[in-house]
């Protein structure tokens, strides 16, 4: 039941696959809020601390590398 529920719960996620987060920011700022597949994820390529801001009205994300 746990896996079925997880697939049905909506999440904020990138609108397309292969979206990266790095020291230079996020490769695509648009996002979607939905459940199910495809389950796209942001791929963090540079280890560190980031400030992440979600604008849920405009459906955008901004990412700033801190250190």
């Amino acid at each position: 039941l746990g896996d079925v529920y997880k697939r049905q719960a909506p999440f904020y996620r990138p609108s397309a696959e292969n979206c990266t987060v790095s020291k230079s920011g996020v490769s695509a700022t648009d996002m979607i809020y939905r459940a199910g597949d495809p389950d796209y994820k942001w791929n963090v390529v540079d280890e560190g601390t980031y400030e992440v801001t979600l604008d849920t009205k405009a459906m955008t994300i901004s990412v700033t590398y801190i250190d």
Side-chain angles (χ1 to χ4, degrees):
L1 182 65
D3 287 339
V4 171
Y5 176 75
K6 287 179 189 175
R7 285 182 274 152
Q8 299 307 316
F11 293 94
Y12 291 101
R13 56 186 82 195
S15 62
E17 64 183 328
N18 300 320
C19 185
T20 59
V21 173
S22 66
K23 292 179 181 179
S24 60
V26 63
S27 62
T29 60
D30 56 316
M31 63 181 188
I32 56 175
Y33 181 72
R34 69 177 217 201
D37 291 326
D39 186 13
Y40 299 138
K41 294 177 175 55
W42 286 280
N43 180 24
V44 179
V45 295
D46 294 319
E47 185 177 320
T49 303
Y50 292 85
E51 178 181 77
V52 178
T53 304
L54 301 178
D55 182 334
T56 57
K57 187 173 183 178
M59 295 303 287
T60 60
I61 182 173
S62 64
V63 178
T64 304
Y65 180 76
I66 305 297
D67 64 34

